[in-house]
Amino acid sequence: MAATPKSRQISEEDKKRQKECTAQIRSANEAYTKANGRAPRAFVLTLGCQQNEADSEKLCGMAEACGYEITDKAEEAALIMVNTCAIREHAEQRALSLVGQYKHLKARNPELVIGICGCMVVQEHRIEDIKRRYPYVDLLFGTSSLHRFPELLLEKLTHKKRVLRGDETEYAVAEDIPIRRESTYRAWVSVMYGCNNFCSYCIVPYVRGRERSREKEAVIREVRELVEAGYRDITLLGQNVNSYGKDGDRSDDFADLLAELDTIEGDYWLHFMTSHPKDATRKLIDVMANARHVARHFHLPMQSGSDRILQAMNRRYTFEKYRDILTYIRKKMPDITVTSDLIVGFPGETEEDFAATLDALRQCRFDMIYSFIYSPRKGTPAAEMAEQIPQAVKSERYERLLAVQNEIALAVGEALIGKTVRVLCDGISKNNEKVYSGRTEGGKIVFFDTTPENTGKFLSVFVERAEPFALYGTVVKD
Ligand code: SAH
Ligand code: SF4
Ligand code: F3S
């Protein structure tokens, strides 16, 4: 099989340098541990999507290899890393305000290293912002430099000067980075990085670089190891997984990768996200329909139901094309859960366009949607478009969208009452300590009563009650 062109992998020297830097930090941290009776702590804050979470698991893995102990308390950390997101204004404001809160920690402990990385700090204007307005941030690097965290950290620790780098390296695939996974039963596996689609509203292609796929063998090895280690839910990640392999000289595509992964023996679900409707092939849907482990869940972002808006968004499909794919998915897998992303208030969206989105929603009857108010992103074409929609109109449309979806979600949930669903148990619910929660194959939240040792296990739950966002039931024996 063809290999990824070497130019897309980070160089061997780069890898070696990171190992050397890791060893140097580690020996200093071991000396610290000896002198103080405890290891220095590192705190990593994740503010973005699943890719961002996966990156944070690598940051934690690298920090651990450097001799830090990972903590969930910023106050006790010797190293704080804020892993940012730039998808909407709110995400950026949140990152900046959280970084602002760490200022007082630095005042108390001048040795504290505060770092910021991820999608937000690839943008020039944000780098300038940090340089000028956040003098207590010591370390900054963009998404292409994630694997160089040990080197940049060492530079900071050695020279005591700020190390603010943005994206100075080429975007490439970096294998063999240590990973410290958050969960012992749910895992992320990136299959590709970057995006080539340039949807007119979206910042991702500017902050994550062009598409590059991992080698198929590397993905298969990682998934196999996870299944062998007892992982039950593995999500393959990519901004548009259907582009997998297209950047290299391979002949096999994402559907082939999925089919091959499905041959791995074990009791697990294989999820993937995200699939762009313009590239969701019948071949992929057929592979899913025949698979043993691929979860019956399709996340297919629609964004808008209006063809005029879809075109302005540069999505390269019409609602009719979208509906055709959905029809094929449901024909092949009638029991499948379908979820979607929608944006309201895109520039130029008229009442008529919005009505088309509501109508599309009623036709598609998604199990769940992630809906967003359009947020202008500096440097993207949509931010420059005339006819930006006033905030009040956007908010009002957003509420109407949610009201329609809530009705649909409730009806979809109620149809499950009296049925038994398979649930992966997540333990005691974070919001209500009296109940346990878990998720179905389609990602639906289910509440039930059980015991702690069932966390991370599959359970059968008899559904008794439904709300728009959750199901309630009782655990039954298989
Ligand atoms: N690659 C994925 C989406 C990644 S971003 C895909 O193409 O489907 C996740 C979601 O954020 C998008 O689907 C979109 O609905 C939303 N989003 C992206 N940019 C946005 C913006 N500027 N304003 C509001 N929502 C946005
Ligand atoms: Fe953004 Fe579009 Fe790429 Fe998704 S496919 S990450 S929405 S540009
Ligand atoms: Fe993800 Fe936010 Fe970056 S959504 S890819 S962390 S801009």
Side-chain angles (χ1 to χ4, degrees), residues 57-277:
E57 292 186 345
K58 289 181 181 159
L59 283 170
C60 287
M62 288 186 274
E64 218 169 43
C66 288
Y68 291 94
E69 196 178 298
I70 306 301
T71 175
D72 56 4
K73 294 182 192 72
E75 317 79 73
E76 62 174 36
L79 167 67
I80 295 180
M81 287 303 306
V82 181
N83 193 8
T84 61
C85 170
I87 201 81
R88 281 168 290 274
E89 181 66 22
H90 174 72
E92 298 199 320
Q93 289 314 328
R94 199 161 153 243
L96 293 172
S97 109
L98 284 162
V99 170
Q101 289 173 27
Y102 298 141
K103 186 180 175 179
H104 74 278
L105 295 178
K106 183 84 166 192
R108 235 174 42 201
N109 170 17
E111 292 297 305
L112 169 67
V113 174
I114 300 180
I116 182 161
C117 62
C119 294
M120 184 178 86
V121 293
V122 176
Q123 307 169 97
E124 280 306 325
H125 67 285
R126 289 298 181 203
I127 299 174
E128 276 311 305
D129 233 20
I130 302 285
K131 266 189 194 152
R132 284 189 295 113
R133 294 175 42 222
Y134 298 82
Y136 47 91
V137 170
D138 311 279
L139 182 61
L140 178 152
F141 54 88
T143 56
S144 72
S145 307
L146 181 81
H147 67 282
R148 299 180 63 216
F149 172 45
E151 182 182 354
L152 299 168
L153 177 60
L154 181 64
E155 192 179 325
K156 161 67 205 156
L157 294 170
T158 317
H159 301 297
K160 307 274 174 202
K161 276 202 201 120
R162 301 177 86 188
V163 175
L164 308 178
R165 289 294 171 70
D167 258 0
E168 56 172 9
T169 43
E170 237 184 276
Y171 285 94
V173 173
E175 292 293 348
D176 307 322
I177 300 181
I179 303 179
R180 181 184 189 270
R181 297 193 190 270
E182 272 285 300
S183 162
T184 52
Y185 56 93
R186 289 192 201 274
W188 312 116
V189 175
S190 294
V191 298
M192 60 182 299
Y193 307 95
C195 181
N196 289 359
N197 288 315
F198 290 95
C199 300
S200 63
Y201 50 82
C202 185
I203 196 73
V204 172
Y206 305 88
V207 294
R208 289 258 169 191
R210 294 294 69 72
E211 287 173 356
R212 52 220 184 268
S213 305
R214 288 179 68 195
E215 297 239 16
K216 193 168 154 185
E217 290 74 10
V219 175
I220 294 173
R221 199 180 319 123
E222 188 172 341
V223 172
R224 179 169 290 124
E225 282 170 9
L226 287 166
V227 172
E228 281 167 4
Y231 279 83
R232 296 287 180 225
D233 187 8
I234 297 164
T235 303
L236 308 176
L237 294 179
Q239 292 298 347
N240 176 15
V241 289
N242 304 113
S243 294
Y244 175 79
K246 288 187 185 161
D247 53 315
D249 42 12
R250 306 175 191 75
S251 56
D252 39 6
D253 60 13
F254 183 65
D256 298 318
L257 173 70
L258 206 58
E260 206 160 323
L261 289 171
D262 190 59
T263 62
I264 297 172
E265 292 302 329
D267 190 12
Y268 64 96
W269 286 331
L270 205 52
H271 281 96
F272 60 87
M273 67 188 302
T274 300
S275 232
H276 194 302

